[in-house]
């Protein structure tokens, strides 16, 4: 008689599936809670103990780890010596294995204590999955409840071919690899140590319409080890998010979140992965209006992230232009009703209280670069000029440095009274980055602005242009062999300059 072994943590649909297998002539073997579930469904199932003639022991840690089970899974039906061995020891074949694993991931999300985490590391389940998947030519491995109906249909019609068996084996090994990656990362976090191998398990969320361009395929996966800013956002309205939407959204919310701990209200406007306007205000309305006025041209078709609750007046102001996404920790009912008048506007509810992921990963051709995120903030100032910055200029310097960290290098940001007056980034020359600000805002009064640079000035030309534009204070990392040239120019122009000693390249 054909036999199927069922042992699942996720019991959705298992009763009906077991009944279908029984009706197809399979003898059902099962364990613990799964056995009770399928018996309650009316299936005549046999316990593991009846097969192994050995009781479960050690609080259930040992039940399927037995030659009567793994022998039935691993022996090759096409090798006479294998067949002879199992017959000698009275081992019967197992033809289908249906297993999913202990809910380690749920325990991780719920921040269970260490001892409970250890007990939720499945041993017997992955062992059976891997045994069956290795011997896929003879044993059909099923690990995903969404495959139950398909398996039944193929079995009924005699269409379980080698291609399907290989597909199921692929899914099985993907499951155990993902599962083990979560455990490995948990232990790395728990011990504070890192092995010379690093595994990241990702779980599919959805297929995106396309990637950065329509001819590129794209998928969205979740890293469920991380409880990040975008792990569980709530979309309240609008079309599905695109690849570019998600990439831009991530930058906007990270930048906005960097101000949350300061207890200030900030709005970030972003376009094509680059901040175009950031405003700090006394209210959400005030901060949004400032972010809008910072660059009313670029914000069109962009993304807006606010750190406070969006009210009706702010929503009305937002609806005056086309925006792709508006995200905030909350919305008043009236604001939500107003924003929903734009059919395609994506409205997202984001929990800004979460910590931003501390790892930055870049996949290059055959290699992976991993670094710490650029979270370092300078506590003090190294004033290198005769003139010292005013209290307001110091505040603008700190504000601008946060923004500058999210602008592509070479990056220059001009700030005045908690509002970006100009953002220049992605240039191969620092002077070009500053020049682009003046070119993009030819009628803007930059008098009294603070200039923020992500890296040192190799020449004094930026100081000279900054003076011409009306900048009164500069903050930059310092560290050039020609630092003194820029310091001397600032002293000549009666400008203040501060060195941070910390560079903020973003490529």
């Amino acid at each position: 008689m054909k036999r199927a072994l069922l042992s699942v943590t996720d019991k959705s649909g298992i009763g009906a599936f077991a009944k279908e297998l029984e009706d197809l002539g399979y003898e059902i073997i099962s364990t613990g809670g799964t056995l009770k579930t399928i018996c309650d469904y009316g299936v005549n199932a046999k316990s593991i103990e009846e097969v192994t003639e050995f009781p479960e022991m050690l609080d259930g840690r040992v039940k399927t780890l037995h030659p009567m089970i793994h022998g039935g899974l691993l022996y090759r039906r096409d090798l006479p010596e294998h067949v002879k061995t199992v017959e000698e020891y009275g081992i019967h074949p197992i033809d289908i294995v249906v297993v999913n694993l202990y809910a380690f991931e749920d325990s991780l999300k719920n921040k269970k204590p260490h001892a409970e985490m250890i007990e939720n590391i499945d041993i017997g389940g992955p062992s059976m999955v891997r045994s069956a998947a290795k011997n896929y030519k003879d044993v059909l491995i099923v690990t995903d409840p969404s495959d139950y109906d398909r398996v039944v249909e193929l079995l009924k019609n005699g269409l379980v071919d080698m291609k399907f068996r290989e597909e199921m084996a692929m899914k099985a090994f993907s499951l155990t690899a993902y599962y083990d990656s979560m455990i490995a990362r948990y232990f790395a976090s728990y011990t504070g140590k890192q092995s010379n191998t690093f595994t990241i398990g990702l779980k599919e969320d959805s297929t995106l319409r396309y990637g950065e361009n329509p001819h590129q395929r794209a998928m969205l996966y979740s890293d469920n080890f991380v409880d990040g800013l975008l792990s569980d956002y709530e979309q309240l309205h609008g079309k599905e998010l695109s690849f570019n939407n998600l990439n831009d959204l991530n930058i906007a919310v990270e930048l906005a979140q960097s101000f949350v701990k300061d207890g200030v209200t900030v709005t970030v406007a972003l376009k094509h992965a680059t901040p175009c306007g950031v405003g700090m205000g006394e209210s959400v309305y005030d901060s949004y209006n400032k972010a809008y006025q910072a660059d009313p041209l670029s914000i069109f078709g962009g993304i807006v992230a606010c750190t406070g609750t969006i009210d009706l007046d702010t929503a009305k102001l937002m609806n005056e232009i086309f925006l792709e996404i508006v995200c905030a920790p909350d919305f008043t009912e009236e604001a939500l009703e107003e924003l929903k008048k734009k059919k395609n506007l994506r409205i997202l509810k984001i929990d800004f209280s979460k910590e931003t992921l501390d790892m930055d990963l870049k996949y290059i051709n055959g290699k992976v670069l991993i670094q710490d995120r650029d979270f370092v903030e300078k506590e003090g100032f190294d004033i290198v000029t005769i003139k010292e910055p005013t209290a307001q200029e110091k505040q603008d310097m700190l504000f601008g440095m946060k923004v500058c960290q999210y602008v592509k290098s070479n990056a220059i940001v001009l700030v005045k009274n908690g509002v970006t007056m100009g953002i220049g980034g992605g240039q191969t020359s620092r002077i070009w980055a500053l020049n682009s600000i003046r070119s993009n805002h030819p009628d803007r009064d930059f008098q009294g602005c603070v200039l923020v640079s992500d890296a040192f000035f190799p020449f004094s030309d930026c100081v000279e242009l900054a003076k011409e534009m009306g900048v009164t204070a500069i903050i930059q990392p310092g560290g050039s062999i020609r630092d003194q040239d820029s310091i001397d120019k600032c002293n000549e122009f009666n400008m203040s300059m501060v060195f941070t000693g910390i560079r903020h390249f973003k490529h």
Side-chain angles (χ1 to χ4, degrees):
M1 176 182 285
K2 298 175 293 184
R3 295 201 304 171
L5 192 161
L6 282 60
S7 180
V8 295
T9 298
D10 178 1
K11 295 178 175 58
S12 56
I14 194 61
F17 186 47
K19 184 62 178 171
E20 292 278 12
L21 292 177
E22 184 181 45
D23 291 345
L24 286 166
Y26 284 85
E27 179 184 47
I28 308 297
I29 308 166
S30 193
T31 63
T34 307
L35 178 65
K36 182 179 185 306
T37 299
I38 62 180
C39 286
D40 289 347
Y41 203 86
V43 176
N44 182 24
K46 181 183 290 186
S47 71
I48 285 290
E49 290 94 327
E50 291 179 74
V51 176
T52 63
E53 296 183 353
F54 213 86
E56 291 187 16
M57 59 170 54
L58 306 179
D59 299 319
R61 285 188 171 201
V62 178
K63 50 192 173 190
T64 59
L65 298 171
H66 194 282
M68 288 293 181
I69 301 300
H70 285 273
L73 296 176
L74 282 166
Y75 89 92
R76 287 178 55 180
R77 279 64 162 172
D78 61 336
L79 290 182
E81 57 268 34
H82 279 206
V83 175
K84 181 180 177 182
T85 298
V86 297
E87 287 178 350
E88 180 181 350
Y89 289 97
I91 298 173
H92 298 287
I94 298 173
D95 304 288
I96 296 178
V97 172
V98 184
V99 171
N100 50 59
L101 310 178
Y102 289 174
F104 182 86
E105 187 178 317
D106 290 345
S107 298
L108 187 65
K109 287 180 178 178
N110 292 321
K111 297 180 171 58
K112 297 293 185 181
H114 182 64
E116 192 169 337
M117 295 298 299
I118 299 306
E119 289 309 309
N120 271 289
I121 297 175
D122 202 335
I123 301 300
S127 298
M128 288 189 291
V129 169
R130 290 174 63 82
S131 293
K134 178 173 180 174
N135 206 23
Y136 68 87
K137 291 181 180 179
D138 297 312
V139 182
L140 180 63
I141 176 65
V142 184
T143 57
D144 186 349
S146 69
D147 287 324
Y148 291 169
D149 290 343
R150 185 179 173 203
V151 169
V152 168
E153 187 65 25
L154 292 175
L155 286 171
K156 284 181 176 179
N157 292 286
L159 297 176
V160 176
D161 57 12
M162 200 54 63
K163 185 177 179 180
F164 181 68
R165 289 176 177 274
E166 290 168 348
E167 179 187 339
M168 293 294 100
M170 175 277 294
K171 293 185 73 169
F173 284 122
S174 295
L175 172 65
T176 57
Y178 174 79
Y179 192 78
D180 285 341
S181 76
M182 301 290 279
I183 297 169
R185 290 175 74 184
Y186 169 74
F187 269 93
S189 175
Y190 183 75
T191 62
K193 304 292 183 180
Q194 184 61 57
S195 169
N196 62 354
T197 60
F198 183 56
T199 55
I200 297 179
L202 305 176
K203 186 173 285 187
E204 180 184 336
D205 281 347
S206 62
T207 299
L208 301 175
R209 285 179 296 159
Y210 52 81
E212 286 184 283
N213 299 290
H215 62 275
Q216 294 172 268
R217 291 184 302 156
M219 304 283 289
L220 178 64
Y221 286 81
S222 283
D223 181 354
N224 288 321
F225 184 81
V226 176
D227 185 21
L229 287 167
L230 299 185
S231 292
D232 55 1
Y233 62 83
E234 183 181 358
Q235 183 165 352
L236 305 176
H237 180 70
K239 297 189 298 185
E240 67 175 292
L241 296 169
S242 70
F243 183 100
N244 291 329
N245 289 155
L246 288 160
N247 188 54
D248 289 350
L249 176 67
N250 183 64
I251 299 168
V253 298
E254 282 192 4
L255 176 51
Q257 196 261 359
S258 70
F259 290 98
V260 168
K261 66 180 180 181
D262 298 332
V264 297
T265 301
V266 167
T267 294
V268 173
L270 185 135
K271 183 80 167 287
H272 290 307
T274 300
C276 58
V278 184
M280 180 169 61
E282 297 180 358
S283 64
V284 170
Y285 182 92
D286 185 33
S287 71
Y288 171 74
N289 190 46
K290 287 176 177 177
Y292 170 79
Q293 295 297 338
D295 192 343
L297 181 63
S298 296
I299 194 176
F300 186 87
I303 288 174
V304 169
C306 301
T307 61
T309 300
I310 294 179
D311 57 21
L312 178 59
D313 288 341
T314 309
K316 286 181 177 179
L317 193 59
M318 289 176 171
N319 269 358
E320 291 180 3
I321 63 169
F322 167 60
L323 295 172
E324 287 275 4
I325 300 174
V326 173
C327 65
D330 210 351
F331 303 79
T332 66
E333 289 185 15
E334 296 82 5
L336 203 53
E337 184 177 344
E338 173 67 23
L339 290 171
K340 284 182 177 179
K341 291 178 181 178
K342 295 289 185 79
K343 184 177 71 172
N344 293 325
L345 174 65
R346 300 156 176 93
I347 305 171
L348 306 180
K349 194 172 179 180
I350 298 276
D351 182 0
F352 282 109
S353 68
K354 293 184 177 182
E355 291 296 322
T356 303
L357 179 64
D358 61 1
M359 179 181 68
D360 182 26
L361 182 150
K362 298 180 188 295
Y363 193 95
I364 59 178
N365 222 334
K367 300 285 185 181
V368 176
L369 297 170
I370 299 176
Q371 65 176 349
D372 295 334
R373 297 301 295 270
D374 184 12
F375 287 145
V376 178
E377 295 179 17
K378 184 72 173 179
E379 294 294 332
F381 292 92
D382 296 325
I383 302 169
V384 296
T385 50
I386 297 170
K387 183 183 179 183
E388 295 191 6
T390 66
Q392 181 61 55
E393 286 172 340
K394 287 181 179 180
Q395 288 182 26
D396 285 341
M397 286 176 176
L398 290 174
F399 178 91
M401 286 304 298
K402 287 180 183 289
V403 177
C404 199
Q405 287 174 237
Y406 289 88
V407 179
K408 297 289 187 181
S409 300
N410 288 311
I412 296 288
V413 177
L414 298 187
V415 179
K416 185 175 181 180
N417 297 327
V419 182
T420 56
M421 301 295 287
I423 298 173
Q427 301 292 327
T428 53
S429 167
R430 197 157 300 279
I431 189 69
W432 290 354
L434 180 56
N435 247 320
S436 70
I437 295 175
R438 182 170 65 171
S439 299
N440 291 335
H441 305 283
D443 300 323
R444 181 159 292 177
D445 181 7
F446 296 108
Q447 186 63 42
C449 280
V450 163
L451 182 152
V452 184
S453 176
D454 66 341
F456 62 64
F457 293 165
F459 308 104
S460 62
D461 53 358
C462 280
V463 178
E464 294 166 5
L465 179 56
K467 171 63 177 178
E468 185 180 325
M469 292 171 66
V471 171
T472 55
I474 296 173
I475 183 169
Q476 55 130 321
S480 169
I481 59 173
R482 301 184 64 169
D483 275 346
Q484 195 59 47
D485 291 353
S486 293
I487 295 170
D488 291 342
K489 278 295 177 186
C490 281
N491 285 330
E492 178 185 336
F493 296 147
N494 195 32
M495 298 166 66
S496 60
M497 179 177 280
V498 169
F499 283 0
T500 67
I502 301 172
R503 190 182 72 188
H504 292 294
F505 272 168
K506 184 176 180 64
H507 294 117

